[in-house]
Amino acid sequence: AVSHFDRGVVTVAAMDAVGAWDAGASRQLSFRYVASLMAWHSMGLATGSLFVGPLVQRFSSKALLVWSMVGNALALTVLAFQADANYLTMSASRFFSGLAASVPLVYLPLWIDEFAPSDAHGLWMGVVQMGAPVGL
């Protein structure tokens, strides 16, 4: 799963993204502009985290995880195929990517608490949390 790809890898590469977009854009993109785009993902994560708990209680967790991965893939596809650096479209894509990524962010620790052997909770949680910096 690449639910945190854009939180880990893309955020670190923001300076390179400025250079890449500058090469093809008709206007100069500042680091502030790109950093604000990166923030929309975190806002989507925060917003989605408020609703994941009730959704997990109401719907199948497997279905929620599948739909979150599909939603994340769609949001990142929209972001990847931007012909121009349209701030509104890119911000919405980043927000919905964060919204979709909030499902595994909230659900996986609950799953570990339920299914991991009691003597391995720390190890399992460490493995899950290790994924965020590398984009998994």
Side-chain angles (χ1 to χ4, degrees):
V2 291
S3 65
H4 294 296
F5 177 75
D6 82 344
R7 190 174 76 177
V9 176
V10 174
T11 303
V12 172
M15 289 302 287
D16 290 336
V18 170
W21 281 329
D22 280 347
S26 59
R27 58 181 159 71
Q28 186 82 10
L29 298 179
S30 67
F31 179 73
R32 178 180 283 174
Y33 180 92
V34 175
S36 70
L37 286 174
M38 300 301 125
W40 281 105
H41 187 263
S42 295
M43 288 186 264
L45 278 172
T47 303
S49 295
L50 297 172
F51 301 102
V52 172
L55 288 173
V56 168
Q57 291 176 336
R58 187 163 191 198
F59 300 104
S60 158
S61 55
K62 181 179 179 180
L64 284 173
L65 288 168
V66 168
W67 280 108
S68 76
M69 294 298 110
V70 169
N72 195 25
L74 289 173
L76 293 178
T77 301
V78 167
L79 184 65
F81 289 106
Q82 287 293 304
D84 191 19
N86 182 307
Y87 186 79
L88 182 62
T89 305
M90 294 173 77
S91 297
S93 175
R94 300 272 309 148
F95 180 81
F96 286 114
S97 174
L99 204 62
S102 67
V103 174
L105 183 76
V106 172
Y107 179 70
L108 288 177
L110 298 173
W111 184 85
I112 288 170
D113 191 47
E114 181 72 24
F115 295 108
S118 59
D119 62 336
H121 275 207
L123 175 64
W124 283 35
M125 188 61 74
V127 169
V128 166
Q129 293 303 316
M130 177 182 68
V134 295
L136 298 176

